[in-house]
């Protein structure tokens, strides 16, 4: 796992010093001016695409298992899982509200509809807030904020080596970048 | 003998300007005693359970075993209490059943794999061992109820606070759960509307009406049906 994650992030660390952040002023044509924003948006879209694809193929259980296998503190693992898990829960709650609206129907008449529709976000927000409050109480009760350090996953020598190498490479690339600027 | 749970002149209101939801509640639960908390909707059953672990602001004194509930003791008290919320969905915090139940042990310092092993017997007792790898939120309400109950029971706490434990369970599930609860040597306070379930589990019956204790006796048949009249609805 450590080796794979290092291989995955290696190109990013290696290319960091050579990433161009500034370019010479554009030529006379509009596409010269559009080149930089276009590049930024393409890269941004590519990142979003990669993230969305990862999320789409990853089951929450798999994400949980993957995070549990990583040598990160259990608290961080639980926090990341909670963010994903509770987001899914709130999405489920929204889905239930939308189903209820579909089943019960909207009020008849345009004026009634117009009066009703602005109330939907309020109802949604209240239900989401109530739900979040109840989950918060349950998390308090179950001791979510104080997971003990004894339950942390052990860091193997290979993991420690990979993390140290990654940190060193990140440090080296920042230094190289600084030298380039100077 | 020291009480497993004790309320002394406890009053609860959620905000300063609101009326009291509970007022002047005094109740002692002995170790091993199984108490049913009965009453109409809105009579304060859930609030009383919440107050026992400091989830709502209260006045008066609450103690669990030898420990008086306060901000500093709250955490250790909660670690000695198994709590089942009225909506089981809310207390399930992990994306698969086994991890959720094992979390109760994990946060007590038990390594993950060992915690998972310790979760298996209670899952078997509640008939959910076949659901270990399933996502809790794709289960039926009754199955979710058992998962949440397993999470509350796995650490073998000396005190159980259960809010509607039989809700959504099928008749077989109710029987199994009742049998399991009776077999535990644990004090418990069970808020329920299910009188048949309460009779099969509990040996003491407390009725709340309008935020006070209206009746408290060992014989469920002697509980006056008057307490179940609409005028006692808060």
């Amino acid at each position: 796992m450590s080796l794979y994650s290092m291989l995955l992030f290696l190109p990013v660390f290696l290319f960091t010093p050579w990433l161009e952040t500034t370019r010479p002023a554009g030529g006379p044509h509009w596409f010269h001016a559009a080149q930089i924003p276009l590049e930024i948006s393409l890269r941004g879209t590519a990142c979003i695409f990669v993230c969305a694809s990862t999320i789409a193929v990853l089951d929450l259980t798999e994400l949980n298992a993957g995070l549990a296998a990583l040598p990160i503190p259990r608290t961080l693992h639980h926090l990341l899982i909670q963010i994903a898990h509770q987001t899914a829960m709130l999405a489920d709650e929204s889905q239930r509200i939308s189903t209820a609206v579909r089943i019960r129907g909207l009020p008849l008449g345009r004026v009634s509809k117009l009066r009703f529709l602005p109330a939907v976000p309020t109802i949604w927000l209240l239900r989401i807030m109530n739900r979040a409050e109840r989950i918060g109480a349950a998390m308090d009760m179950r001791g979510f904020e104080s997971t003990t350090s004894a339950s942390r996953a052990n860091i193997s020598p290979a993991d420690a080596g990979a993390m140290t190498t990654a940190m060193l490479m990140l440090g080296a690339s920042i230094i190289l970048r600084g030298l380039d600027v100077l | 003998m020291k009480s497993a749970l004790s309320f002394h002149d406890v009053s609860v209101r959620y905000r300063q300007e609101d009326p009291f939801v509970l007022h002047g509640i005094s109740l002692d639960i002995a170790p091993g005693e199984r108490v049913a908390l009965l009453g109409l909707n809105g009579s304060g059953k859930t609030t009383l359970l919440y107050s026992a672990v400091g989830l709502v602001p209260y006045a008066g004194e609450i103690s669990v075993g030898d420990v008086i509930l306060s901000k500093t003791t709250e955490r250790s008290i909660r670690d000695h209490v198994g709590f089942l919320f009225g909506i089981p969905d809310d207390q399930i915090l992990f994306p698969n059943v086994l991890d959720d139940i094992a979390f109760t042990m994990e946060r007590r310092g038990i390594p993950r794999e060992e915690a998972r092993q310790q979760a298996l017997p209670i899952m078997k007792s509640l008939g959910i061992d076949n659901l270990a790898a399933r996502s809790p939120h794709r289960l039926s309400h009754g199955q979710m109820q058992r998962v949440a109950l397993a999470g509350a029971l796995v650490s073998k706490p000396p005190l159980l606070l259960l809010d509607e434990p039989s809700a959504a369970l099928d008749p077989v599930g109710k029987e199994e759960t009742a049998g399991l609860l009776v077999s535990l040597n644990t004090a418990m306070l069970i808020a329920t509307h299910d009188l048949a379930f309460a009779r099969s589990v509990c040996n003491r019956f407390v009725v709340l009406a309008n935020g006070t204790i209206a009746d408290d006796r060992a014989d469920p048949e002697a509980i006056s049906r008057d307490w179940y009249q609409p005028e006692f609805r808060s």
Side-chain angles (χ1 to χ4, degrees), chain A residues 40-87:
Chain A
I40 291 171
S41 56
L42 275 175
R43 283 185 187 191
T45 312
C47 285
I48 292 168
F49 180 74
V50 169
C51 290
S53 317
T54 312
I55 291 166
V57 296
L58 255 189
D59 183 55
L60 201 53
T61 311
E62 289 166 343
L63 176 68
N64 185 31
L67 283 173
L70 285 176
I72 55 174
R74 299 289 289 152
T75 315
L76 180 63
H77 161 217
H78 286 161
L79 185 70
L80 292 173
I81 278 296
Q82 276 318 296
I83 291 169
H85 184 55
Q86 299 310 335
T87 307

Side-chain angles (χ1 to χ4, degrees), chain A residues 37 92 176 179:
Chain A
D92 274 359
L176 278 172
L179 288 174

Side-chain angles (χ1 to χ4, degrees), chain A residues 5-180:
Chain A
S5 48
M6 203 172 84
L7 284 173
L8 186 69
F9 289 104
L10 192 62
V12 180
F13 290 137
L14 287 180
F15 287 107
T16 307
W18 289 277
L19 276 177
E20 277 189 68
T21 52
T22 53
R23 281 169 184 260
H29 299 292
W30 66 269
F31 52 83
H32 288 123
Q35 199 174 357
I36 294 172
L38 194 65
E39 198 173 318
I40 291 171
S41 56
L42 275 175
R43 283 185 187 191
T45 312
C47 285
I48 292 168
F49 180 74
V50 169
C51 290
S53 317
T54 312
I55 291 166
V57 296
L58 255 189
D59 183 55
L60 201 53
T61 311
E62 289 166 343
L63 176 68
N64 185 31
L67 283 173
L70 285 176
I72 55 174
R74 299 289 289 152
T75 315
L76 180 63
H77 161 217
H78 286 161
L79 185 70
L80 292 173
I81 278 296
Q82 276 318 296
I83 291 169
H85 184 55
Q86 299 310 335
T87 307
M89 296 281 300
L90 297 181
D92 274 359
E93 187 77 15
S94 309
Q95 184 67 43
R96 278 199 284 269
I97 295 170
S98 129
T99 309
V101 169
R102 276 210 300 270
I103 301 279
R104 298 188 68 189
L106 291 171
L108 294 173
R110 282 187 187 165
V111 178
S112 305
K113 270 197 184 84
L114 283 174
R115 270 208 305 265
F116 173 77
L117 286 173
V120 173
T122 317
I123 299 163
W124 179 82
L125 200 64
L126 277 174
R127 275 185 62 164
I128 295 283
M129 278 166 63
N130 282 340
R131 169 124 206 174
E133 205 172 299
R134 291 199 309 267
I135 291 172
M139 286 170 86
D140 260 3
M141 183 60 220
R142 296 192 68 188
F144 198 82
E145 80 295 351
S146 53
T147 305
T148 57
S149 55
S151 64
R152 286 178 186 178
N154 293 326
I155 296 178
S156 69
D159 291 326
M163 283 197 294
T164 313
T165 314
M167 293 309 290
L168 283 173
M169 290 172 90
L170 179 65
S173 49
I174 290 169
I175 292 166
L176 278 172
R177 190 187 181 103
L179 288 174
D180 193 31

Side-chain angles (χ1 to χ4, degrees), chain B:
Chain B
M1 186 185 278
K2 200 78 189 162
S3 300
L5 172 65
S6 164
F7 297 89
H8 180 67
D9 198 20
V10 170
S11 298
V12 175
R13 59 178 163 186
Y14 287 92
R15 288 184 305 179
Q16 202 63 35
E17 62 272 23
D18 288 349
F20 282 104
V21 181
L22 296 173
H23 45 98
I25 298 282
S26 291
L27 177 69
D28 280 304
I29 297 174
E33 194 173 30
R34 299 186 295 273
V35 180
L37 193 56
L38 310 169
L40 294 171
N41 296 134
S43 57
K45 300 186 296 295
T46 299
T47 303
L48 188 65
L49 295 185
Y50 277 20
S51 69
V53 284
L55 286 175
V56 290
Y58 66 93
E61 190 180 277
I62 297 170
S63 52
V64 174
D66 294 331
V67 187
I68 294 172
L69 181 65
S70 69
K71 279 285 159 211
T72 47
T73 58
E74 196 175 81
R75 182 68 266 151
S76 72
I77 282 181
R78 288 175 184 176
D79 281 347
H80 288 87
V81 173
F83 200 106
L84 178 73
F85 285 76
I87 303 172
D89 212 7
D90 290 339
Q91 76 184 86
I92 296 172
L93 303 172
F94 283 83
N96 81 51
V97 168
L98 181 57
D99 280 345
D100 189 82
I101 298 166
F103 171 73
T104 306
M105 303 310 293
E106 254 191 275
R107 78 154 306 281
R108 285 161 175 76
I110 293 171
R112 188 162 186 262
E113 275 316 307
E114 204 181 320
R116 287 170 139 233
Q117 288 303 316
Q118 290 184 13
L120 293 174
I122 190 71
M123 290 174 71
K124 204 169 171 57
S125 308
L126 286 163
I128 49 168
D129 47 331
N130 57 331
L131 306 176
R134 296 270 300 274
S135 164
H137 303 291
R138 298 281 173 266
L139 302 176
S140 74
H141 196 111
Q143 287 172 319
M144 257 195 267
Q145 183 86 351
R146 293 177 196 219
V147 171
L149 190 58
L153 297 179
V154 66
S155 61
K156 300 185 177 73
L159 175 65
L160 288 171
L161 302 173
L162 310 176
D163 196 356
E164 295 288 356
S166 64
L169 293 182
D170 54 40
V172 181
K174 279 186 195 183
E175 255 177 56
E176 285 172 353
T177 307
L180 177 67
L181 292 176
V182 170
S183 72
L184 304 169
N185 185 26
T186 304
M188 52 189 89
L189 183 57
I190 302 177
T192 184
H193 291 293
D194 187 341
L195 292 174
F197 180 81
R199 278 190 201 107
S200 61
V201 175
C202 301
N203 42 28
R204 183 176 164 195
F205 303 83
V206 171
V207 180
L208 281 182
N210 291 331
T212 56
I213 293 180
D215 209 344
D216 180 355
R217 57 185 75 224
D219 177 11
E221 308 307 329
I223 295 275
S224 167
R225 291 205 60 81
D226 291 349
W227 302 124
Y228 283 90
Q229 299 308 311
E231 60 264 31
F232 288 105
R233 182 164 282 138
S234 300

